[in-house]
Each structure stands twice: as structure tokens, then as C-alpha cells.
Amino acid sequence: GVHCLGGKGRTGVFVCAWLMYSTFSASAQAALVHFAAKRTGHGGKTVQGVSGASQRRYLHYFQRVLENGGYRTSRLVLNKIVMITCPKMDPDGGCDPWFTIEQNGVFIYNSKVSLGVTNMKKNTAFIEFEIGGLEVQGDIRVVFYDNDVMPPRDELMFFSWIHTGFVSNEIWEFPKDQVDMACSDKSHKVFDQNFGIQFHFDDVPVEVEFQCQPSDDASVLSRSASVGGTSFPSMSWKQKSISMLFGRQKTQLEPPSPLGRLPSLAWSGGGGFAPF
């Protein structure tokens, strides 16, 4: 069987991807709704579906991969990250934020080292982190922490995954419901309802283009399917593109996604999260 710790996050991503891959579901949203209904059951009081913001985002990425027959790994320049409103992490309602950036599973930036830690006061509208032209490509994970002095520790606040091949604007903004951990704070105890994260890029392609390459295995028979008016690529491309989520294969077009490498850190802010 397929399972993970809770049986709905990582398991749900795999099952929803399979529902699209097999053409049972015509879209990521349809797959998510179907999985949640089956996972919850008739007697369930709380919906048990894929709740992780980045997990849901990557399923929508995967839908586009299937529709377009591939995806690009654009090289972008990340200049700035903006955090909108102040998470209530400290007793006075403020926080001391810093963050790390990983690219394809490798740490490439630490703001505590490069910028230091700046206190953010309660009710501050936003805080900007000038990165200064960091080249990024592929799967990017940004993890924010709150630096505490007493006791001395770094407490996980929130995180977010993006893939550079799906960024189409120079300012890429995620509202609260699209940020992992923050999206679980439904009562706004820690994260304001207007909380969000902005990524400021340069060198964003004007138009996202997808290029297919022939299957490496000539014996693989190509087939296409149409469900609900949606055209799907050949099976050979679907076998390749599913590696985007699970890293099963390596192709010249994309590296495997480093899912399953998040740290097991507790969060005292309430709610919960479903890491990859």
C-alpha cells in the first residue's frame, strides 16, 4: 500500500499525481477533490485531503507538465524577498526573522550570515530582505525562522517551495493560504489574514515555453488521451514528467525534485504542516 505519517499529505500527492497520470482525473483540482472525498469517507467530520500549500502547488505544476509535455528549468535572478505583516512569534507580538534558501536540495543562501537578524515590530506592514542578485534554477525551498534569545533557539515559522520553470512574473506573491504552515493558522493567531510572501526576480522569461524530446526508449509506445476536453501527452512523456514530483528518473530536461528532505522541526504557533 501507499502510506506516510498521516496518510494524506505525501500519500495524497502521490495518489493525486497518479489520478492525473492515469487520466482518471482531468485536472489537479479534480484529483484533489476526489482524493479528499475518498480519504475522508462518509462518516468523517473533517476533510482529510492534501492540505500542504506547496504540495498542492506542485500538483498544479504537474498538471501543466502533463498538458504541455514537459517543463523548463529557467535560470532566474532572485533580488529580494518581502514578508507582508509580522508573524506574532514573540511575547510582544513581533518576531526576529531570518531564512535559508535551498536549490535542488543544496543550501545556497543564509540570511543570518549575509544580512544578520533584524527585529520586526508588531503591526509592521512589511519587511524587505535585499538578497542582491542570487541566481536560482529548479526546485527552490525558502524556510523562515524566528531567532529567539531566551532561550537561544531558531524556531521554524513557515516555508515555501517553488519551481523556477513556472515563474512568469518578476514579482511572484503567495498569500497566506499558499504558504506552508501559515495556511494552517485559520484563526490568525500567529499570521495575520493579510500575511504573504513576495519573491522579486529578474530575467523572468516573457513566455513560458515547453520543449519535448523523443523518448529514450524507442520501444515505449506513445499514446494520447482526452478526458473532459483536456489533451494529455504521450505515455512516454508522462513516465518522464512524473519524475518531477518523485525523482524516479533523470532526463536532460529536468533534475529530480528533492522532496522528502524537510527537517523535522516543531512549531509552537499552533496548527500543523504536512512536509514533503
Side-chain angles (χ1 to χ4, degrees):
V2 179
H3 64 86
C4 57
L5 182 62
K8 62 176 186 176
R10 287 163 289 183
T11 297
V13 170
F14 186 93
V15 171
C16 289
W18 177 257
L19 290 173
M20 288 187 284
Y21 174 95
S22 64
T23 72
F24 180 90
S25 296
S27 67
Q29 186 59 32
L32 286 162
V33 170
H34 181 79
F35 172 76
K38 295 298 183 181
R39 177 64 177 80
T40 304
H42 296 296
K45 296 181 179 180
T46 304
V47 176
Q48 300 291 319
V50 179
S51 58
S54 292
Q55 293 175 333
R56 297 175 68 91
R57 180 178 308 115
Y58 267 69
L59 284 170
H60 285 280
Y61 286 170
F62 188 55
Q63 176 185 336
R64 291 178 60 184
V65 171
L66 293 177
E67 290 173 346
N68 292 283
Y71 66 100
R72 66 190 299 167
T73 51
S74 306
R75 180 179 288 106
L76 308 178
V77 176
L78 179 60
N79 288 318
K80 179 170 62 177
I81 295 179
V82 180
M83 183 168 72
I84 303 169
T85 73
C86 179
K88 304 177 184 69
M89 299 296 295
D90 296 339
D92 62 1
C95 69
D96 304 278
W98 66 278
F99 61 91
T100 60
I101 300 176
E102 296 171 53
Q103 176 176 272
N104 302 318
V106 178
F107 286 99
I108 61 172
Y109 188 86
N110 183 321
S111 74
K112 182 189 283 188
V113 174
S114 300
L115 303 174
V117 178
T118 302
N119 177 257
M120 188 177 186
K121 302 294 185 182
K122 178 182 178 181
N123 297 326
T124 302
F126 63 89
I127 184 171
E128 297 184 340
F129 301 91
E130 297 284 352
I131 297 175
L134 179 68
E135 287 194 0
V136 292
Q137 184 177 25
D139 289 302
I140 305 300
R141 182 176 71 145
V142 179
V143 184
F144 267 78
Y145 300 88
D146 174 55
N147 181 246
D148 292 330
V149 177
M150 293 297 294
R153 63 175 180 175
D154 291 306
E155 190 173 9
L156 179 63
M157 288 200 295
F158 61 89
F159 63 91
S160 191
W161 284 92
I162 60 174
H163 190 286
T164 60
F166 298 88
V167 174
S168 57
N169 296 311
E170 291 187 352
I171 300 178
W172 205 239
E173 181 173 349
F174 294 147
K176 178 180 178 178
D177 63 354
Q178 295 181 30
V179 179
D180 293 275
M181 297 181 65
C183 65
S184 300
D185 183 19
K186 305 297 185 183
S187 58
H188 315 305
K189 292 182 179 179
V190 177
F191 297 95
D192 186 86
Q193 61 181 350
N194 295 317
F195 174 80
I197 291 292
Q198 289 182 350
F199 300 92
H200 291 241
F201 293 101
D202 278 343
D203 298 338
V204 176
V206 175
E207 183 176 320
V208 176
E209 299 175 353
F210 297 88
Q211 294 182 348
C212 301
Q213 63 184 33
S215 170
D216 295 332
D217 184 356
S219 65
V220 177
L221 296 179
S222 297
R223 71 176 180 91
S224 61
S226 179
V227 178
T230 300
S231 296
F232 292 85
S234 66
M235 179 61 77
S236 60
W237 254 105
K238 286 160 61 178
Q239 290 170 335
K240 289 185 177 183
S241 58
I242 201 169
S243 69
M244 175 188 178
L245 289 175
F246 309 112
R248 298 303 187 212
Q249 305 175 24
K250 293 183 179 179
T251 73
Q252 296 178 1
L253 192 62
E254 75 282 341
S257 179
L259 309 187
R261 299 184 183 179
L262 292 181
S264 299
L265 299 177
W267 178 48
S268 63
F273 69 104
F276 283 108

